[in-house]
Amino acid sequence: MILVTGGLGMIGAHTARALTDLGHAVVATAHRRTARPTFLPDDVIVERLDVTDPAAVSALGDQYPITDITHLAGSIPGEDRVAYFRADTAGLLTMLDAARAWRVRRFAVAGSLGSYLGRSEVPWYEDLALPTAPAPHPIIAFKKAVEPLTTNALQGTGIHAVVLRIGSTWGPLMDPATPFNAVPPYISAVLRGERPAPVYADDGGDFCYAPDAGRAIALLITADTLAHDVYNISGGQPFTNRQLVDAVHAAIPQAQLDLLDGRRAGPGRDPYLDVSRLATETGFTPAFDITTAVTDYVAWRTHHDR
């Protein structure tokens, strides 16, 4: 049985769904938000769990035969950054203790494409040396620290530690007003009948649709063998705002959308993640491009708030 912490969040829920699609038993945990997404199969077991509580985590292991862990649980920083770091570090260490106690096969943990910030190469690939550039957000700082903490903690245990450098992911269950991805707020404005602020046509990025991200993670956690400890998780192909606008027009023909010429910062390329390692070892290919992703998301939001 595979444990997915944060299993009712956007990426966690899509990971749990993908794992069941692959035929695996799943227990998904959540701490605060416990509403079950409609796309989550009934055979996914949902448990309330505070991952910072060692006794509660231990009890979960007594209840279920956990063989692998995908640790995606995390909190949103408030004004007190130290409190955020303390809570999420406690959660990580508690789950690492559990992995060792349960002698799981594989422990996958959420990292971030933000670890590459400061590298000028395009695309970003896993063997790049991570820069010492200041992290622009506490979440990025923590996700970067997660990598050595996890791999070092599990060294010599026989448990395969896998770092998931997850790209900018969006889709069903994401907060429509999120500050972390521009696509849901843009589409939400259109769905409200508003005219969103104009965007630069040639700006863009590598924004992975959540079902694809979940499937990529599921393929990694269930692979018979993996040759590496770090994998990029994303679509592997950047898109431009011009393509986004075309996709929104295709899904919502009455939308009034404006484009500005060129790029906000002048000539250049937006960074994106190379996913050839993921594709080679698991056979992963994205099921969604920007057009099909927008169409699917608009259909979802027709019946769901987030």
Side-chain angles (χ1 to χ4, degrees), residues 173-191:
L173 302 186
M174 190 171 217
D175 178 2
T178 178
F180 300 116
N181 190 297
V183 178
Y186 188 85
I187 295 176
S188 294
V190 176
L191 291 174

Side-chain angles (χ1 to χ4, degrees), residues 8 12-13 32 62 93 149 185 216 221 289:
L8 296 188
R32 295 179 179 86
D62 292 337
L93 297 179
L149 290 175
I221 197 69
D289 59 19

Side-chain angles (χ1 to χ4, degrees), residues 32-158:
R32 295 179 179 86
R33 192 175 69 209
T34 56
R36 189 186 191 97
T38 56
F39 61 77
L40 200 62
D42 291 340
D43 54 355
V44 172
I45 299 168
V46 175
E47 294 282 358
R48 186 184 292 272
L49 180 71
D50 178 357
V51 296
T52 68
D53 183 343
V57 171
S58 179
L60 188 76
D62 292 337
Q63 187 174 1
Y64 300 105
I66 306 299
T67 58
D68 302 88
I69 297 172
T70 304
H71 181 49
L72 302 175
S75 59
I76 301 298
E79 293 185 4
D80 188 342
R81 296 189 177 202
V82 172
Y84 161 71
F85 290 136
R86 180 180 295 112
D88 277 31
T89 301
L92 172 64
L93 297 179
T94 300
M95 295 314 303
L96 287 169
D97 267 339
R100 295 186 304 172
W102 302 339
R103 299 181 180 179
V104 300
R105 182 183 66 111
R106 188 166 289 154
F107 182 95
V109 64
S112 170
L113 88 168
S115 295
Y116 294 111
L117 291 175
R119 300 293 315 209
S120 59
E121 297 87 348
V122 177
W124 288 333
Y125 56 93
E126 292 93 340
D127 286 336
L128 287 173
L130 298 186
T132 57
H137 192 277
I139 291 179
I140 293 175
F142 178 73
K143 297 297 186 186
K144 195 169 182 177
V146 158
E147 299 196 14
L149 290 175
T150 300
T151 54
N152 192 274
L154 297 181
Q155 189 172 6
T157 64

Side-chain angles (χ1 to χ4, degrees), residues 63-305:
Q63 187 174 1
Y64 300 105
I66 306 299
T67 58
D68 302 88
I69 297 172
T70 304
H71 181 49
L72 302 175
S75 59
I76 301 298
E79 293 185 4
D80 188 342
R81 296 189 177 202
V82 172
Y84 161 71
F85 290 136
R86 180 180 295 112
D88 277 31
T89 301
L92 172 64
L93 297 179
T94 300
M95 295 314 303
L96 287 169
D97 267 339
R100 295 186 304 172
W102 302 339
R103 299 181 180 179
V104 300
R105 182 183 66 111
R106 188 166 289 154
F107 182 95
V109 64
S112 170
L113 88 168
S115 295
Y116 294 111
L117 291 175
R119 300 293 315 209
S120 59
E121 297 87 348
V122 177
W124 288 333
Y125 56 93
E126 292 93 340
D127 286 336
L128 287 173
L130 298 186
T132 57
H137 192 277
I139 291 179
I140 293 175
F142 178 73
K143 297 297 186 186
K144 195 169 182 177
V146 158
E147 299 196 14
L149 290 175
T150 300
T151 54
N152 192 274
L154 297 181
Q155 189 172 6
T157 64
I159 300 168
H160 188 184
V162 177
V163 173
L164 310 166
R165 288 185 185 153
I166 302 173
S168 187
T169 303
W170 69 285
L173 302 186
M174 190 171 217
D175 178 2
T178 178
F180 300 116
N181 190 297
V183 178
Y186 188 85
I187 295 176
S188 294
V190 176
L191 291 174
R192 292 192 300 268
E194 300 172 5
R195 190 169 192 156
V199 293
Y200 283 84
D202 297 332
D203 281 346
D206 179 12
F207 293 170
C208 186
Y209 198 50
D212 276 337
R215 188 163 53 86
I217 295 169
L219 289 169
L220 284 170
I221 197 69
T222 60
D224 289 337
T225 60
L226 292 173
H228 299 89
D229 298 332
V230 179
Y231 292 85
N232 287 340
I233 306 294
S234 200
Q237 290 292 331
F239 67 85
T240 65
N241 283 333
R242 186 182 302 279
Q243 292 171 306
L244 171 63
V245 165
D246 288 344
V248 174
H249 266 142
I252 312 173
Q254 70 274 20
Q256 298 183 28
L257 309 174
D258 299 307
L259 282 170
L260 302 174
D261 290 336
R263 291 171 51 84
R264 179 184 297 274
R269 290 196 297 167
D270 290 300
Y272 66 97
L273 294 179
D274 179 285
V275 295
S276 56
R277 175 180 290 183
L278 168 68
T280 297
E281 295 192 36
T282 70
F284 170 80
T285 56
F288 293 87
D289 59 19
I290 186 59
T291 300
T292 54
V294 168
T295 299
D296 185 79
Y297 184 68
V298 169
W300 167 265
R301 287 293 308 282
T302 300
H303 303 289
H304 302 87
D305 291 336

